[in-house]
CSV table of all heavy atoms in Angstrom, one decimal:
chain,number,residue,atom,x,y,z
D,981,GLU,N,-111.7,43.3,38.5
D,981,GLU,CA,-112.7,42.5,39.3
D,981,GLU,C,-113.9,42.1,38.4
D,981,GLU,O,-114.4,41.0,38.6
D,981,GLU,CB,-113.1,43.3,40.5
D,981,GLU,CG,-112.0,43.5,41.5
D,981,GLU,CD,-112.5,44.4,42.7
D,981,GLU,OE1,-113.6,44.9,42.6
D,981,GLU,OE2,-111.7,44.6,43.6
D,982,GLN,N,-114.3,43.0,37.5
D,982,GLN,CA,-115.5,42.7,36.7
D,982,GLN,C,-115.1,41.7,35.7
D,982,GLN,O,-116.0,40.8,35.3
D,982,GLN,CB,-116.0,44.0,36.0
D,982,GLN,CG,-116.6,45.0,37.0
D,982,GLN,CD,-117.0,46.2,36.3
D,982,GLN,OE1,-116.9,46.4,35.1
D,982,GLN,NE2,-117.6,47.2,37.1
D,983,SER,N,-114.0,41.7,35.1
D,983,SER,CA,-113.6,40.7,34.0
D,983,SER,C,-113.2,39.4,34.5
D,983,SER,O,-113.3,38.4,33.8
D,983,SER,CB,-112.4,41.3,33.2
D,983,SER,OG,-111.3,41.5,34.0
D,984,GLY,N,-112.8,39.3,35.8
D,984,GLY,CA,-112.4,38.0,36.4
D,984,GLY,C,-111.1,37.5,35.9
D,984,GLY,O,-110.8,36.3,36.2
D,985,HIS,N,-110.3,38.4,35.3
D,985,HIS,CA,-109.0,37.9,34.8
D,985,HIS,C,-107.9,38.5,35.6
D,985,HIS,O,-106.7,38.5,35.2
D,985,HIS,CB,-108.8,38.4,33.3
D,985,HIS,CG,-109.8,37.8,32.4
D,985,HIS,ND1,-109.9,36.5,32.1
D,985,HIS,CD2,-110.8,38.4,31.7
D,985,HIS,CE1,-110.8,36.2,31.2
D,985,HIS,NE2,-111.4,37.4,31.0
D,986,ALA,N,-108.2,38.9,36.8
D,986,ALA,CA,-107.1,39.4,37.6
D,986,ALA,C,-106.2,38.3,38.1
D,986,ALA,O,-106.7,37.2,38.4
D,986,ALA,CB,-107.7,40.1,38.8
D,987,ASP,N,-104.9,38.5,38.1
D,987,ASP,CA,-104.0,37.5,38.5
D,987,ASP,C,-104.1,37.2,40.0
D,987,ASP,O,-104.3,38.1,40.8
D,987,ASP,CB,-102.5,37.9,38.2
D,987,ASP,CG,-102.3,38.1,36.7
D,987,ASP,OD1,-103.1,37.4,35.9
D,987,ASP,OD2,-101.4,38.9,36.3
D,988,GLN,N,-104.1,35.9,40.3
D,988,GLN,CA,-104.1,35.5,41.7
D,988,GLN,C,-102.7,35.7,42.3
D,988,GLN,O,-101.7,35.2,41.7
D,988,GLN,CB,-104.5,34.1,41.8
D,988,GLN,CG,-105.9,33.8,41.3
D,988,GLN,CD,-107.0,34.5,42.2
D,988,GLN,OE1,-106.7,34.7,43.4
D,988,GLN,NE2,-108.1,34.9,41.6
D,989,ARG,N,-102.6,36.3,43.4
D,989,ARG,CA,-101.3,36.6,44.1
D,989,ARG,C,-101.1,35.5,45.2
D,989,ARG,O,-102.1,35.2,45.9
D,989,ARG,CB,-101.3,38.0,44.7
D,989,ARG,CG,-101.4,39.0,43.6
D,989,ARG,CD,-101.3,40.4,44.2
D,989,ARG,NE,-101.5,41.5,43.2
D,989,ARG,CZ,-100.5,42.0,42.5
D,989,ARG,NH1,-99.3,41.5,42.7
D,989,ARG,NH2,-100.8,42.9,41.6
D,990,ALA,N,-99.9,35.1,45.4
D,990,ALA,CA,-99.6,34.1,46.4
D,990,ALA,C,-99.6,34.6,47.8
D,990,ALA,O,-99.9,33.9,48.7
D,990,ALA,CB,-98.2,33.5,46.1
D,991,SER,N,-99.4,35.9,47.9
D,991,SER,CA,-99.4,36.5,49.2
D,991,SER,C,-100.8,36.6,49.7
D,991,SER,O,-101.7,36.7,49.0
D,991,SER,CB,-98.7,37.9,49.1
D,991,SER,OG,-99.5,38.7,48.3
D,992,PRO,N,-100.9,36.5,51.1
D,992,PRO,CA,-102.3,36.5,51.7
D,992,PRO,C,-102.9,37.9,51.5
D,992,PRO,O,-102.2,38.9,51.4
D,992,PRO,CB,-102.0,36.3,53.2
D,992,PRO,CG,-100.6,36.6,53.4
D,992,PRO,CD,-99.9,36.3,52.1
D,993,GLY,N,-104.2,37.9,51.4
D,993,GLY,CA,-104.9,39.2,51.2
D,993,GLY,C,-104.7,40.1,52.4
D,993,GLY,O,-104.7,39.7,53.6
D,994,ARG,N,-104.6,41.4,52.2
D,994,ARG,CA,-104.5,42.4,53.2
D,994,ARG,C,-105.8,43.2,53.4
D,994,ARG,O,-106.5,43.4,52.5
D,994,ARG,CB,-103.3,43.4,52.9
D,994,ARG,CG,-102.0,42.7,52.9
D,994,ARG,CD,-100.9,43.7,52.5
D,994,ARG,NE,-101.1,44.2,51.1
D,994,ARG,CZ,-100.3,45.1,50.5
D,994,ARG,NH1,-99.3,45.7,51.2
D,994,ARG,NH2,-100.6,45.5,49.3
D,995,THR,N,-106.0,43.5,54.6
D,995,THR,CA,-107.2,44.3,54.9
D,995,THR,C,-107.0,45.7,54.5
D,995,THR,O,-106.0,46.4,54.7
D,995,THR,CB,-107.4,44.3,56.5
D,995,THR,OG1,-107.5,42.9,56.9
D,995,THR,CG2,-108.7,45.0,56.8
D,996,HIS,N,-108.0,46.2,53.7
D,996,HIS,CA,-108.0,47.6,53.2
D,996,HIS,C,-108.7,48.5,54.1
D,996,HIS,O,-109.9,48.3,54.5
D,996,HIS,CB,-108.6,47.6,51.8
D,996,HIS,CG,-107.8,46.8,50.8
D,996,HIS,ND1,-106.7,47.3,50.1
D,996,HIS,CD2,-108.0,45.5,50.3
D,996,HIS,CE1,-106.2,46.3,49.3
D,996,HIS,NE2,-107.0,45.3,49.4
D,997,PHE,N,-108.0,49.5,54.5
D,997,PHE,CA,-108.7,50.5,55.3
D,997,PHE,C,-109.1,51.7,54.5
D,997,PHE,O,-108.4,52.0,53.4
D,997,PHE,CB,-107.7,51.0,56.4
D,997,PHE,CG,-107.4,49.9,57.4
D,997,PHE,CD1,-106.2,49.1,57.2
D,997,PHE,CD2,-108.2,49.6,58.5
D,997,PHE,CE1,-105.9,48.1,58.1
D,997,PHE,CE2,-107.9,48.6,59.3
D,997,PHE,CZ,-106.8,47.8,59.2
D,998,GLY,N,-110.1,52.4,54.9
D,998,GLY,CA,-110.5,53.6,54.2
D,998,GLY,C,-109.4,54.7,54.2
D,998,GLY,O,-108.9,55.0,55.2
D,999,LYS,N,-109.1,55.2,53.0
D,999,LYS,CA,-108.0,56.2,52.9
D,999,LYS,C,-108.6,57.6,53.0
D,999,LYS,O,-109.6,57.9,52.3
D,999,LYS,CB,-107.3,56.0,51.6
D,999,LYS,CG,-106.1,57.0,51.4
D,999,LYS,CD,-105.4,56.7,50.1
D,999,LYS,CE,-104.2,57.6,50.0
D,999,LYS,NZ,-103.5,57.4,48.7
D,1000,LYS,N,-108.1,58.3,53.9
D,1000,LYS,CA,-108.6,59.7,54.1
D,1000,LYS,C,-108.0,60.6,53.0
D,1000,LYS,O,-106.8,60.6,52.8
D,1000,LYS,CB,-108.1,60.2,55.5
D,1000,LYS,CG,-108.7,59.5,56.7
D,1000,LYS,CD,-108.3,60.1,58.0
D,1000,LYS,CE,-109.0,59.4,59.2
D,1000,LYS,NZ,-108.6,60.0,60.4
D,1001,VAL,N,-108.9,61.3,52.4
D,1001,VAL,CA,-108.5,62.2,51.3
D,1001,VAL,C,-109.1,63.6,51.6
D,1001,VAL,O,-110.1,63.7,52.3
D,1001,VAL,CB,-109.0,61.8,49.9
D,1001,VAL,CG1,-108.3,60.5,49.5
D,1001,VAL,CG2,-110.5,61.6,49.9
D,1002,LEU,N,-108.4,64.6,51.1
D,1002,LEU,CA,-108.9,66.0,51.3
D,1002,LEU,C,-110.0,66.3,50.4
D,1002,LEU,O,-110.1,65.7,49.3
D,1002,LEU,CB,-107.7,67.0,51.1
D,1002,LEU,CG,-106.6,66.9,52.1
D,1002,LEU,CD1,-105.4,67.7,51.6
D,1002,LEU,CD2,-107.0,67.3,53.5
D,1003,PRO,N,-110.9,67.2,50.7
D,1003,PRO,CA,-112.0,67.6,49.8
D,1003,PRO,C,-111.4,68.2,48.6
D,1003,PRO,O,-110.3,68.7,48.6
D,1003,PRO,CB,-112.8,68.5,50.6
D,1003,PRO,CG,-111.9,69.1,51.6
D,1003,PRO,CD,-110.9,67.9,52.0
D,1004,PRO,N,-112.2,68.3,47.5
D,1004,PRO,CA,-111.7,68.9,46.2
D,1004,PRO,C,-111.5,70.3,46.4
D,1004,PRO,O,-112.1,71.0,47.1
D,1004,PRO,CB,-112.8,68.6,45.2
D,1004,PRO,CG,-114.0,68.4,46.1
D,1004,PRO,CD,-113.6,67.8,47.3
D,1005,ILE,N,-110.5,70.8,45.6
D,1005,ILE,CA,-110.2,72.3,45.6
D,1005,ILE,C,-111.3,73.0,44.9
D,1005,ILE,O,-111.7,72.6,43.8
D,1005,ILE,CB,-108.9,72.6,45.0
D,1005,ILE,CG1,-107.8,71.8,45.7
D,1005,ILE,CG2,-108.6,74.0,44.9
D,1005,ILE,CD1,-106.4,72.0,45.1
D,1006,PRO,N,-111.9,74.1,45.4
D,1006,PRO,CA,-112.9,74.8,44.7
D,1006,PRO,C,-112.5,75.3,43.4
D,1006,PRO,O,-111.3,75.6,43.1
D,1006,PRO,CB,-113.2,76.0,45.7
D,1006,PRO,CG,-112.6,75.6,47.0
D,1006,PRO,CD,-111.5,74.7,46.7
D,1007,LYS,N,-113.5,75.3,42.4
D,1007,LYS,CA,-113.2,75.8,41.1
D,1007,LYS,C,-112.9,77.3,41.1
D,1007,LYS,O,-113.5,78.0,41.9
D,1007,LYS,CB,-114.4,75.5,40.2
D,1007,LYS,CG,-114.6,74.0,39.9
D,1007,LYS,CD,-115.7,73.8,38.9
D,1007,LYS,CE,-115.9,72.3,38.6
D,1007,LYS,NZ,-117.0,72.1,37.7
D,1008,ASN,N,-112.1,77.7,40.2
D,1008,ASN,CA,-111.7,79.1,40.1
D,1008,ASN,C,-111.1,79.7,41.3
D,1008,ASN,O,-111.1,81.0,41.5
D,1008,ASN,CB,-112.9,80.0,39.7
D,1008,ASN,CG,-113.6,79.5,38.4
D,1008,ASN,OD1,-112.8,79.0,37.5
D,1008,ASN,ND2,-114.9,79.5,38.3
D,1009,ALA,N,-110.6,78.9,42.2
D,1009,ALA,CA,-109.9,79.4,43.4
D,1009,ALA,C,-108.5,79.6,43.1
D,1009,ALA,O,-107.7,78.7,42.9
D,1009,ALA,CB,-110.1,78.4,44.6
D,1010,THR,N,-108.1,80.9,43.2
D,1010,THR,CA,-106.7,81.2,42.8
D,1010,THR,C,-106.0,81.9,44.0
D,1010,THR,O,-106.5,82.9,44.5
D,1010,THR,CB,-106.6,82.2,41.7
D,1010,THR,OG1,-107.3,81.6,40.6
D,1010,THR,CG2,-105.2,82.5,41.3
D,1011,PRO,N,-105.0,81.3,44.6
D,1011,PRO,CA,-104.3,81.9,45.8
D,1011,PRO,C,-103.6,83.2,45.4
D,1011,PRO,O,-103.1,83.3,44.2
D,1011,PRO,CB,-103.3,80.8,46.2
D,1011,PRO,CG,-103.1,80.0,45.0
D,1011,PRO,CD,-104.3,80.0,44.2
D,1012,ILE,N,-103.5,84.1,46.3
D,1012,ILE,CA,-102.8,85.3,46.0
D,1012,ILE,C,-101.3,85.2,46.3
D,1012,ILE,O,-100.5,86.1,46.1
D,1012,ILE,CB,-103.4,86.5,46.9
D,1012,ILE,CG1,-103.2,86.2,48.3
D,1012,ILE,CG2,-104.8,86.7,46.5
D,1012,ILE,CD1,-103.6,87.3,49.2
D,1013,THR,N,-100.9,84.1,46.9
D,1013,THR,CA,-99.5,83.9,47.3
D,1013,THR,C,-98.8,83.1,46.2
D,1013,THR,O,-99.4,82.7,45.2
D,1013,THR,CB,-99.4,83.2,48.6
D,1013,THR,OG1,-100.1,82.0,48.5
D,1013,THR,CG2,-99.9,84.0,49.7
D,1014,LYS,N,-97.5,82.9,46.3
D,1014,LYS,CA,-96.7,82.2,45.3
D,1014,LYS,C,-97.2,80.7,45.1
D,1014,LYS,O,-97.3,80.0,46.1
D,1014,LYS,CB,-95.2,82.2,45.7
D,1014,LYS,CG,-94.3,81.6,44.6
D,1014,LYS,CD,-92.9,81.8,45.0
D,1014,LYS,CE,-92.5,80.8,46.1
D,1014,LYS,NZ,-91.1,80.9,46.4
């Protein structure tokens, strides 16, 4: 997007919805299970 060299696609633009992601795993968190 910044360079402006992105290829134009013939297909119509699609609406982007916010993707739900899980929070990051805590550092040094080691499970006791397998």
Side-chain angles (χ1 to χ4, degrees):
E981 291 177 358
Q982 292 178 0
S983 61
H985 297 294
D987 296 336
Q988 297 294 329
R989 299 181 182 272
S991 59
R994 292 179 296 177
T995 304
H996 294 279
F997 297 94
K999 185 176 181 180
K1000 294 183 179 180
V1001 295
L1002 294 170
I1005 299 176
K1007 293 183 178 180
N1008 303 326
T1010 304
I1012 62 175
T1013 53
K1014 187 175 71 174

